[in-house]
Amino acid sequence: MNLNSTYGMTHAMRIIESSPIRKADPRTKLALCLCASLAVMLPLGKIIFFAIIYVIFLLWARLLPEAARQAWKLKWILGVLFLVDWLVISLDLAVVVTLRLLLMAGVFAMFFSTTTPSELCLALVWLRVPYRYAFSISLSFQTVSSIDTEWRGILEAQRARGAFEAPKGWRYIVEQVRNLVSLTVPAVVLTARRAWSMTEAAYARGFESPHRTAFNRLSMRAIDWAILAGAGMVAAAIIIWR
Amino acid sequence: MKERYFSTFQLFLLALFAALIVVAKIALHLPLQLSGHSGIFWMAIIIVAARVVPKRGAASLVGLTSGIMAAFLGLGDLGGLNTLLSYTMAGIGADLGLLLLRDPENYACAMLAGMFGHLCKFIVKWIFGMAAGAPVGFVVLGLAKALVGYIVFGALGGLLGALTLAALRKAGFFTYLLEKK
Amino acid sequence: MIQIHELSYAYPQHGRGIGPFDFSVRSGEMLHMTGSSGCGKSTLARCITGLIPHIYHGTMKGSVRIGGLDTAGTPLWRLAESAGFVFQNPAMQMLGNSVEEEILMGLENLGLGRGEMRDRMDEALERFGLGSFRGRAPQTLSGGEQQKLALAAIIARRPPVLILDEPLSMLDVTAATEFAGYLSELARAGTAIVIFEHRSDYLAGLPGIRIAALDSATAPERTGAPGRWARAASDEKRGPKLNVSGLAVTIGGKNIIRNLSFSIEPGEVTAVVGRNGSGKTTLVRALAGLQKHGGSIDIDAMRPDFGQVYQNADLQLFNASVRSEILYRVKDPDMAWYAWLMETLCLRQYEDTPPLILSEGEKKRVALATVLMRKAAHGILLDEPSLGQDMAHKKMLIDICRGLAARGKIVLFTTHELHLAAMADRVILLGQDGIAADGTPEQVFRDADAWKRAGLFVPPWLTETGQRVITA
């Protein structure tokens, strides 16, 4: 099996600092995303209205390029679906289906591109997720780059030993899978060692203390109330409008 | 020390396995233009996690954590919510599979659990297609081709997981774990 | 402050263990524990901090009291208030997404108010010179900075006791000396410190330090007999030299190596030294053909074929036994060569043992054997081969390097251990703008200006010991 490694993480976390909703409370953003994702159930007229409002919001929030990047990944599926729906059923359905898929793809970009893992951790704790679970999720983010470096190191070291030299083709697929063990075993071992070191380091800093107080706390600001009020008005308009 | 369902080490280990899934997904591309081929490493790591932390819900937690990470890192085609749900379902599916099949070190059990987990991920995509109101016939036709890929790579992932566990056992990894709480 | 009474610990895997130990450490006292690799220093450190028996299986007997608290009967979070613990690999201790978070985590667990947390964090960042890194991800810091951050995160909690397990092993000479200075300062301020460390020279001159040798209850590793390699290989003829010209490497927009030119004759053991982050590992990767680079690297106008031994042996070990690991994917293995490697690297007794359960030093030797078994045409490259190893291992390593060089191979290793560099035939000192000095160890160690330019210095103890090694 031929393995190609991309040298370095190609998908770094993209936090858009310039967005006005960057400073908004993660709970506000989460609520907004969940409400917006319900909009996919709307009929044609209302979904077009919602889409226009949503694009204006993204424009204001400086998130349109990010949402467009997500949508671009869907270009082929959307193109084919649009054509098939239009030709086989109707233009109305083609528009509705395309808009729904676009919304589904882009709606959470607003949350994920303006929230850091630490803020997510705070939101999870507020949602009554135990701190140790929320902390472990935050931990997984900060280890990605180190694990990536290790993973590439394993790949290099094993490739130098000829670990992936199985015959090509489907007939030898099991043999090829067997070769991948040279990659997965060191990866699992190194991951376990890292997890153990981190466990020790966490306990050395008083992890699981019942007296823990958080330095950073969630707080609703004016922008949060403004966003929620705006969202409420849009929801009301959609419900009332016949 | 107070007994917890997952010890701190187990919790951190599962979180790091989730990071490993994301790294494997990003850093390695098999030269196969088939849907679901990334499932080989994905399901393998989930199967290994379920054995190394032998508690119900371990695979689901790995799935959920990797889903959150993947959504943040912008992986997946159908947006953050789809990514989050499909990664999570892969873990839940593997957990459910292992609930019935039990032994992740058995090749057949691991392959079936891997296949089942990967199928659950596929089902999320299918539901998303249906929820968007795409014509049923088209969705079925389009995804039927992908379905074969998901089944094959899910099973191969399960197999790789079982092979990895066997190699880890021979290499003394479980002896290393013996000392850790 | 620390009272240890008849302490012993047996590992659950095989029943062997360490101890019994009896000693105590007073406030403001610094105790330096020495001992060979694998003698149980890390285990003892974990017993003192309470990690054993709280998160380790195995049998601990006797008692450890810290500030009057019995470690076995006190929860870990409470013990952590009395005893801080910093250990070997700083990159593995980083828990926060930023430098600030790294320090705050420990303060939050003390249950302090926000104002007090901020004050203590600012004070710690200031004290360790980390103020300008507040928002940076800890992974982007150099090894020395990470180790300082690990210490700062613990010191901010103001524990009266500090336990350190090989904290200097990954630091260059400047960072290690600076770190030792911090410890001395803390001891003067009343902290009781126990430090487990191979690199004793950095601690030897500290005022009031007490040194204790840890006697091993476990069998120490055997090391190779010197001179065997040279005898076995003296008939090999020398090949063409390695030419590196205008080598430049840029990673993520940052110039890691700039315009580096040198050549190496076969039969020469070359040590590459420099600060943490000076590009030593990148240079090895470029020579091994694993790093995209500008300029040229060739031997006889051809791409060189080197075997590379990685800093972390765990990257390559996965087989069920040492034998299968070394012979993995070697076409038509030369079994006489294999037998000789096993003998020389003292691995014969472990042939059927899984490599993963060996000690770090043994794993490094297995990793070296896997590379040597493949008989790369031009020689080997070793990246920090002596990390965390005692002097016996270092001597064995240099012996192997000399043996290979005697076979007409090029041998190059990177290191921040100046003792090891002093044993090479040639030292290349990397600075910020390329090679700061290049020559025999005597020449390079005497060039104080070059070391200054490289952001390092030659400590006085090295000049004496280094000279002794060189002249011997």
Side-chain angles (χ1 to χ4, degrees):
Chain A
M1 203 168 277
N2 181 18
L3 298 165
N4 300 311
S5 159
T6 56
Y7 283 76
M9 297 290 289
T10 50
H11 295 250
M13 271 195 66
R14 284 200 257 217
I15 301 296
I16 299 168
E17 295 290 344
S18 60
S19 172
I21 66 164
R22 168 72 189 90
K23 296 287 173 208
D25 192 290
R27 292 169 295 182
T28 307
K29 288 184 267 187
L30 201 56
L32 204 61
C33 291
L34 288 170
C35 292
S37 59
L38 291 178
V40 296
M41 313 311 285
L42 296 171
L44 180 64
K46 290 185 178 183
I47 202 169
I48 290 176
F49 170 71
F50 179 80
I52 291 168
I53 299 283
Y54 192 66
V55 168
I56 293 170
F57 172 76
L58 290 178
L59 207 59
W60 168 75
R62 295 182 203 167
L63 293 172
L64 201 56
E66 181 58 25
R69 194 180 66 85
Q70 287 285 337
W72 186 246
K73 288 189 196 169
L74 281 172
K75 56 187 182 294
W76 296 113
I77 299 174
L78 287 177
V80 173
L81 259 183
F82 186 84
L83 278 176
V84 170
D85 283 341
W86 186 13
L87 297 174
V88 177
I89 303 171
S90 69
L91 180 62
D92 283 3
L93 184 78
V95 172
V96 168
V97 169
T98 310
L99 279 178
R100 282 177 181 172
L101 281 173
L102 268 175
L103 279 175
M104 270 197 259
V107 91
F108 269 79
M110 178 197 356
F111 180 80
F112 293 123
S113 56
T114 61
T115 311
T116 64
S118 310
E119 288 161 355
L120 174 75
C121 177
L122 287 174
L124 290 173
V125 170
W126 181 80
L127 289 167
R128 299 272 177 262
V129 172
Y131 171 72
R132 54 203 300 273
Y133 284 80
F135 179 76
S136 73
I137 290 172
S138 165
L139 201 62
S140 64
F141 278 94
Q142 71 101 345
T143 52
V144 167
S145 61
S146 311
I147 291 180
D148 179 57
T149 307
E150 269 172 12
W151 187 251
R152 285 182 287 121
I154 297 167
L155 194 58
E156 277 174 12
Q158 300 298 3
R159 188 179 275 148
R161 302 173 74 191
F164 310 119
E165 288 168 4
K168 304 280 186 295
W170 285 97
R171 281 170 59 202
Y172 303 100
I173 192 84
V174 172
E175 183 55 31
Q176 291 173 48
V177 169
R178 199 181 289 277
N179 286 343
L180 296 178
V181 169
S182 62
L183 202 57
T184 51
V185 170
V188 169
V189 171
L190 285 164
T191 302
R193 287 196 200 285
R194 184 177 291 277
W196 185 250
S197 292
M198 289 180 147
T199 305
E200 290 191 324
Y203 278 122
R205 297 188 210 171
F207 192 64
E208 295 193 336
S209 161
H211 307 305
R212 182 180 180 276
T213 50
F215 182 81
N216 293 309
R217 286 162 206 175
L218 296 175
S219 62
M220 296 289 278
R221 303 175 195 191
I223 190 169
D224 295 295
W225 297 117
I227 290 171
L228 290 176
M233 281 194 282
V234 172
I238 288 172
I239 292 164
I240 294 164
W241 178 34
R242 300 273 169 207
Chain B
M1 215 160 60
K2 192 176 162 186
E3 272 299 311
R4 314 249 191 195
Y5 185 70
F6 290 120
S7 71
T8 301
F9 172 50
Q10 289 175 331
L11 212 50
F12 287 6
L13 186 55
L14 294 176
L16 266 55
F17 275 137
L20 193 56
I21 286 179
V22 171
V23 167
K25 170 89 179 156
I26 294 171
L28 289 175
H29 305 282
L30 307 185
L32 302 165
Q33 294 304 313
L34 284 170
S35 299
H37 75 264
S38 62
I40 287 191
F41 284 110
W42 196 335
M43 295 319 299
I45 294 165
I46 285 185
I47 295 291
V48 169
R51 175 63 192 87
V52 173
V53 179
K55 286 182 179 163
R56 302 268 171 251
S60 304
L61 191 56
V62 173
L64 173 66
T65 310
S66 60
I68 293 172
M69 293 178 75
F72 265 90
L73 295 169
L75 304 181
D77 300 334
L78 285 171
L81 187 61
N82 174 274
T83 305
L84 173 64
L85 293 178
S86 56
Y87 277 62
T88 306
M89 280 310 292
I92 293 175
D95 253 340
L96 289 174
L98 289 172
L99 191 68
L100 297 171
L101 300 159
R102 297 195 182 273
D103 185 10
E105 288 191 61
N106 178 297
Y107 293 167
C109 292
M111 284 174 83
L112 284 170
M115 196 169 77
F116 190 63
H118 214 206
L119 265 179
C120 288
K121 182 196 162 208
F122 170 84
I123 288 167
V124 173
K125 280 199 170 178
W126 184 74
I127 290 172
F128 260 65
M130 298 301 290
V136 177
F138 179 79
V139 172
V140 170
L141 197 71
L143 294 184
K145 195 180 136 212
L147 179 66
V148 178
Y150 271 83
I151 289 174
V152 170
F153 290 111
L156 287 175
L159 175 65
L160 178 57
L163 288 167
T164 304
L165 286 169
L168 284 168
R169 185 165 293 287
K170 282 188 202 156
F173 176 70
F174 290 97
T175 311
Y176 163 78
L177 285 186
L178 207 66
E179 198 186 14
K180 277 98 180 137
K181 284 185 187 169
Chain C
M1 213 58 212
I2 304 172
Q3 281 124 21
I4 289 172
H5 180 62
E6 291 185 0
L7 171 69
S8 67
Y9 174 74
Y11 301 99
Q13 300 97 323
H14 41 63
R16 279 179 292 163
I18 60 161
F21 299 105
D22 271 286
F23 62 90
S24 60
V25 183
R26 293 187 308 274
S27 293
E29 189 179 9
M30 199 188 310
L31 176 64
H32 172 204
M33 294 280 220
T34 61
S36 57
S37 299
C39 73
K41 294 192 295 296
S42 295
T43 306
L44 179 57
R46 278 150 182 82
C47 286
I48 301 175
T49 52
L51 292 171
I52 294 176
H54 284 282
I55 59 168
Y56 281 82
H57 291 288
T59 315
M60 186 180 120
K61 287 181 183 160
S63 71
V64 178
R65 297 186 85 80
I66 293 186
L69 296 172
D70 177 39
T71 57
T74 310
L76 272 177
W77 63 266
R78 176 72 192 82
L79 285 174
E81 290 172 9
S82 302
F85 185 32
V86 177
F87 44 103
Q88 188 176 6
N89 187 344
M92 301 278 238
Q93 306 171 58
M94 299 291 119
L95 302 168
N97 286 297
S98 69
V99 167
E100 278 194 351
E101 276 185 29
E102 195 64 43
I103 296 189
L104 282 172
M105 188 207 163
L107 298 178
E108 287 178 326
N109 290 328
L110 286 173
L112 303 173
R114 288 189 79 194
E116 167 124 37
M117 280 196 244
R118 182 171 293 285
D119 291 345
R120 286 202 194 188
M121 176 175 70
D122 291 345
E123 187 193 314
L125 290 173
E126 194 60 39
R127 182 175 194 175
F128 291 94
L130 296 165
S132 55
F133 300 135
R134 283 170 181 269
R136 267 185 53 187
Q139 289 75 22
T140 63
L141 303 180
S142 72
E145 288 158 355
Q146 282 182 341
Q147 194 62 290
K148 273 198 284 186
L149 178 57
L151 184 63
I154 293 295
I155 293 305
R157 289 169 56 84
R158 298 181 187 162
V161 171
L162 194 57
I163 316 293
L164 304 107
D165 182 19
E166 308 247 9
L168 308 181
S169 69
M170 307 193 86
L171 306 185
D172 62 44
V173 60
T174 304
T177 307
E178 203 181 18
F179 196 90
Y182 286 131
L183 297 182
S184 180
E185 223 175 89
L186 287 168
R188 270 202 304 275
T191 308
I193 298 176
V194 183
I195 178 165
F196 298 84
E197 183 58 59
H198 279 309
R199 299 172 79 184
S200 309
D201 298 303
Y202 292 93
L203 305 168
L206 298 182
I209 194 163
R210 184 155 65 99
I211 300 172
L214 195 61
D215 238 331
S216 172
T218 53
E221 290 169 24
R222 215 152 53 87
T223 53
R228 245 186 287 181
W229 280 75
R231 279 202 301 277
S234 55
D235 54 341
E236 296 279 329
K237 68 172 189 191
R238 294 190 169 192
K241 66 180 180 183
L242 165 75
N243 296 304
V244 176
S245 171
L247 180 70
V249 179
T250 305
I251 300 174
K254 196 177 165 198
N255 291 325
I256 307 293
I257 294 177
R258 279 180 235 188
N259 197 25
L260 212 62
S261 298
F262 61 89
S263 58
I264 299 180
E265 294 282 350
E268 211 171 45
V269 177
T270 305
V272 177
V273 295
R275 285 216 73 168
N276 289 116
S278 62
K280 300 190 292 291
T281 299
T282 310
L283 172 62
V284 167
R285 285 174 51 78
L287 294 177
L290 298 169
Q291 180 67 56
K292 244 173 90 176
H293 60 83
S296 68
I297 298 172
D298 68 85
I299 290 181
D300 245 0
M302 305 233 310
R303 194 191 164 118
D305 171 26
F306 286 119
Q308 191 192 340
V309 183
Y310 289 80
Q311 203 175 105
N312 187 348
D314 283 326
L315 291 177
Q316 55 190 92
L317 307 179
F318 72 99
N319 281 289
S321 68
V322 167
R323 185 189 300 108
S324 53
E325 193 68 65
I326 296 173
L327 295 177
Y328 178 72
R329 292 285 161 104
V330 178
K331 287 169 190 141
D332 304 321
D334 176 348
M335 292 314 285
W337 175 240
Y338 167 79
W340 188 61
L341 278 176
M342 296 300 283
E343 209 56 52
T344 312
L345 291 166
C346 298
L347 293 170
R348 178 69 70 199
Q349 59 182 314
Y350 303 119
E351 263 191 295
D352 297 314
T353 310
L356 286 178
I357 64 166
L358 299 178
S359 74
E360 288 306 311
E362 288 156 354
K363 277 196 282 192
K364 278 178 185 288
R365 298 206 304 263
V366 176
L368 178 59
T370 62
V371 172
L372 293 178
M373 194 66 211
R374 309 191 80 78
K375 293 186 172 176
H378 298 119
I380 59 164
L381 310 167
L382 304 104
D383 191 12
E384 296 285 1
S386 65
L387 221 59
Q389 301 303 304
D390 57 23
M391 195 43 104
H393 278 94
K394 285 173 201 161
K395 283 185 177 146
M396 179 188 190
L397 182 80
I398 210 76
D399 190 40
I400 292 164
C401 289
R402 287 204 180 284
L404 277 172
R407 294 180 75 91
K409 304 287 183 198
I410 290 168
V411 179
L412 179 143
F413 64 84
T414 68
T415 187
H416 56 240
E417 303 240 22
L418 300 186
H419 272 307
L420 191 68
M423 293 187 238
D425 299 320
R426 175 180 171 188
V427 174
I428 296 176
L429 171 62
L430 286 185
Q432 280 183 334
D433 300 310
I435 295 175
D438 182 358
T440 62
E442 290 101 319
Q443 290 166 342
V444 173
F445 286 132
R446 277 183 196 131
D447 190 349
D449 284 345
W451 289 83
K452 207 171 167 187
R453 282 199 305 278
L456 295 167
F457 66 93
V458 185
W461 50 260
L462 180 95
T463 328
E464 293 155 27
T465 330
Q467 289 294 345
R468 205 162 54 239
V469 172
I470 296 157
T471 48

